[in-house]
Amino acid sequence: MSNLLEAKDLYKWYGDHAALDHVNLEIPKGSIFGLLGPNGAGKTTLIRIINQITHPDSGVVYFNGAPLEREHIARIGYLPEERGLYKSMKVGEQAVYLSRLKGLSKLEAKDRLRYWFEKFDITPWWGKKVQELSKGMAQKVQFIVTVLHEPTLLIFDEPFSGFDPINATMIKDEILQLRDKGATVIFSTHRMESVEEMCDHIALLNRSQKILDGKLSDIKKAYRNNTYEAGLLHGQPAQLREELLAILPDTATRMQISGEELKLHVQLDNGMDSRSLLHMLNEKAEVLFFNEVIPSANDIFIQTVKKEAAHHG
Amino acid sequence: MDKLLLIIKREYLAKVRNRSFIVMTVLSPLLIVGMIAVVVFLTRMNNDQKKVIGILDESTYFDNVFITGPELAFVDLRNITPEEAKDSVASMGYYGLLHIPGDATIEAVAEGIQFYSAKSPSITVTGMLEMRIAKRLREEKLRQIGVSEQMVNELVANFEIPTTTFSGERSVKGINEIKAAIGGGFGYLIMMFIIIYGAFVMRSVIEEKTSRIIEVIISSVKPFQLMLGKIIGTSLAGITQFVIWILSAGVLGFLAFSFMGVDWQEFGPGANLPPEAMETIEEASASNEVLQLYVAEMLRIPWGTLIVSFMIYFTLGYLIYSSVYAAIGAAVDNETDTQQFMFPVIMPLMLAVYVGFFSVFENPNGPIAVGFSLFPLTSPIVMLMRLPGGVGADGVPWWQLFASIALLVVTFIGIVWLAARIYRVGILMYGKKPTYKELYKWLKYK
């Protein structure tokens, strides 16, 4: 079994509104799985179903091959987007409480918490009340509580909101380390640069439906559209520009001149491939750089969602 | 189960350690005892200040009428003019001057009687003076007709109707009221507990929503476990508070009143009873035989059944209402939004108490009392008011008690189920002020 989590034909209705409409999902073991989609696409509903906070109207979720059960809760760590702590409770006491709810014994919880508190440099805050903590500090505590029981599946909903860049990097490294130790991570976010950096698989939800999923590298390959960038050095850039315009498809070509350098951005049509383009450019000018423009996750996201929107009128 | 215990413990400690809870627990008995002490003290202060009234009697009819008593003191002024009397009364700081002019007949004298004081006199003072004068007038008139004082005394008659049950036992009056008051006490306790600690449950749910911890918790435990743990934990904190209140109020009250030398009789068991019962008790204490009858009647109250029923009604009633409070807390985002849902919750409680006091006291087995003691939202209070009258042939029929409890259990299951469903959906809804229609929709979510 190579998938830790599989969702089959999930439907979830809120009154007349479908929150999930025939969603299928496969999350491979050991992957960092990006769950993307605009607001209201159904991400949170899906995550809540996995956490058994709500239940699907129909469809099944398999955890490690077995239908999801109450016992699996102890093997899942969930950091919700809407998260907080009891304000008037002490930090350490609260962390122990939340860990015990996940099934750790008091002793285990204290032991592991001590380790993590030292690692995150918040040991002095153990006896303080949560209301005295800064937002970032409270987020650290929440992160620790999420991972403390060493879950097989970690679910982070917008984990970086509320963190400054330094702490965000720290959390990111921790997530990668947890993955290396064998955990599978579901990662729901709007921040595409972190998707690019961390996720190996993604699924895109829009209007309650899954419209795209797979390995990020495969998706990117599929979204390659024969677009290239080049930097060219030429004595008469304006003249070069005229020459190129005559050859290249004019609607998909953009050029920019600064000094003697001309920057070219072109999407090739079927008449030309990258090799012949480079060959042609080499003959006309000195090529400073030449590379394929691979769509970013952000581009794919926007492009796909827009296409869907057009589809629905 | 472990998790439920964990939640109960946390909710209990969170409540008990809360600063305002501690302050309330410590201060309330002090405040209440202090307030009663102040009231008693002030009343006594007031009474201690005897009012002195100057009497200028120029007639012969009112000798030995104005004798210094516990409230009023009288000073006889003689052989001075009314003007001089007024001046001296004012200069002595007396309360007022009663001027009785001299004349031939008592009627003429009475016509001319005048009261002078610095400010307009209190009605109690004038009342007491008028009473004395009227009595003297009546005596004088009767004497003129030829009725002797002895005959007058014999004319005054008192009558008390002796009461007996059909089976021939002497029954005592007011006992029904006393019994209802005992039951009413239990019922009132349940109502207060529900209103105070139900609101605590609600606030605690709202706090979990606003602090956004709720989703973290319910990814570990079922919403129902959290709700139940919260209700139980809060009620344990409430019981702790109640026990502390009762104990400390008892001790403090004892200390305060022994210190002030208040007569304990005033605060005896009859203190909160309706006036008829009070009178009866006062009269009854005169004779030992009657007192024994009361004791016998009190012993006849089915204390065992009453206490067991109290536990059942208290537990079920509190669970029903507090789960509704929890659902309300889950449905809203802040406390101000709770108003629209609160009224339907408070109403049956109020209804129960008022129906209890007005109808059950009067007729514990009448149709209204029976109806309200069967209706599950009012039965915890109303049935407890009926129970001290006895269970069985001459009291609450057993079938009514069992039917009432059975209905309560069914309602309990139904309402907790409904509340849990609303709670489950509501805790994850932010930024909405739901309508009843929406709540109904929530019930259908899976």
Side-chain angles (χ1 to χ4, degrees), chain A residues 19-264:
Chain A
L20 290 178
D21 184 359
H22 196 224
V23 170
N24 285 286
L25 215 59
E26 291 180 357
I27 297 176
K29 262 183 196 155
S31 65
I32 295 188
F33 192 95
L35 193 58
L36 317 176
N39 289 326
K43 288 173 297 181
T44 302
T45 305
L46 180 60
I47 288 175
R48 282 178 180 166
I49 287 175
I50 297 171
N51 279 294
Q52 300 176 53
I53 291 170
T54 51
H55 303 275
D57 288 316
S58 71
V60 196
V61 178
Y62 295 95
F63 186 92
N64 228 350
L68 204 56
E69 277 177 48
R70 202 65 213 165
E71 283 71 54
H72 290 135
I73 282 301
R75 300 180 55 191
I76 301 178
Y78 174 37
L79 186 67
E81 183 179 8
E82 295 281 5
R83 53 183 176 255
L85 296 165
Y86 287 113
K87 287 199 172 49
S88 53
M89 212 174 166
K90 285 183 179 149
V91 176
E93 199 182 350
Q94 180 151 214
V96 171
Y97 172 66
L98 293 173
S99 316
R100 290 183 73 188
L101 285 186
K102 277 287 184 189
L104 288 183
S105 77
K106 197 174 183 177
L107 229 66
E108 269 176 317
K110 275 192 174 167
D111 253 17
R112 294 188 195 178
L113 281 170
R114 213 166 289 140
Y115 164 79
W116 279 97
F117 269 56
E118 251 162 58
K119 191 170 184 180
F120 278 13
D121 213 15
I122 50 173
T123 310
W125 297 90
W126 181 275
K128 294 261 166 62
K129 280 189 178 177
V130 170
Q131 56 204 10
E132 299 171 54
L133 257 60
S134 70
K135 197 179 173 196
M137 209 103 67
Q139 300 265 26
K140 280 186 189 174
V141 176
Q142 285 157 359
F143 179 83
I144 292 173
V145 171
T146 311
V147 303
L148 198 75
H149 58 292
E150 294 174 356
T152 352
L153 177 62
L154 281 161
I155 302 174
F156 296 105
D157 201 347
E158 293 295 349
F160 302 120
S161 67
F163 278 117
D164 58 50
I166 295 170
N167 284 323
T169 311
M170 191 167 92
I171 295 295
K172 200 174 73 192
D173 291 343
E174 289 300 332
I175 294 176
L176 291 174
Q177 276 181 38
L178 288 163
R179 193 267 317 266
D180 294 342
K181 283 182 197 155
T184 306
V185 180
I186 298 177
F187 193 32
S188 164
T189 184
H190 292 122
R191 291 187 20 164
M192 287 304 153
E193 69 276 14
S194 46
V195 172
E196 202 92 41
E197 267 176 281
M198 300 176 68
C199 299
D200 34 45
H201 287 70
I202 63 164
L204 183 54
L205 290 181
N206 189 38
R207 294 166 180 254
S208 326
Q209 289 176 323
K210 185 190 74 182
I211 53 175
L212 180 73
D213 73 335
K215 255 187 156 165
L216 185 59
S217 53
D218 291 349
I219 289 173
K220 283 191 151 188
K221 248 180 241 161
Y223 271 74
R224 273 167 66 179
N225 52 5
N226 235 3
T227 304
Y228 298 90
E229 257 180 353
L232 304 167
L233 201 62
H234 193 275
Q236 255 86 41
Q239 191 195 331
L240 177 65
R241 180 178 155 148
E242 292 308 314
E243 284 175 30
L244 288 175
L245 270 180
I247 303 165
L248 297 170
D250 51 352
T251 48
T253 306
R254 275 182 283 132
M255 279 178 280
Q256 200 186 343
I257 297 170
S258 61
E260 300 205 313
E261 190 186 334
L262 182 142
K263 262 191 193 147
L264 172 71

Side-chain angles (χ1 to χ4, degrees), chain A residues 78 82 84 86 93 101, chain B residues 3 17 208 212 215 446:
Chain A
Y78 174 37
E82 295 281 5
Y86 287 113
E93 199 182 350
L101 285 186
Chain B
K3 290 182 182 177
R17 285 182 191 160
E208 271 171 0
R212 297 288 194 266
E215 201 166 346
K446 195 177 172 185

Side-chain angles (χ1 to χ4, degrees), chain A residues 260-308:
Chain A
E260 300 205 313
E261 190 186 334
L262 182 142
K263 262 191 193 147
L264 172 71
H265 181 104
V266 63
Q267 184 178 5
L268 297 176
D269 52 20
N270 295 332
M272 195 182 263
D273 62 11
S274 62
R275 286 174 67 185
S276 47
L277 172 66
L278 182 57
H279 186 74
M280 184 269 284
L281 292 175
N282 246 333
E283 284 184 342
K284 293 197 180 294
E286 186 183 337
V287 177
L288 295 175
F289 64 87
F290 181 86
N291 57 268
E292 183 180 8
V293 180
I294 298 170
S296 66
N298 199 34
D299 294 338
I300 297 174
F301 180 93
I302 293 170
Q303 205 180 320
T304 321
V305 170
K306 269 190 182 160
K307 206 160 68 190
E308 277 287 309

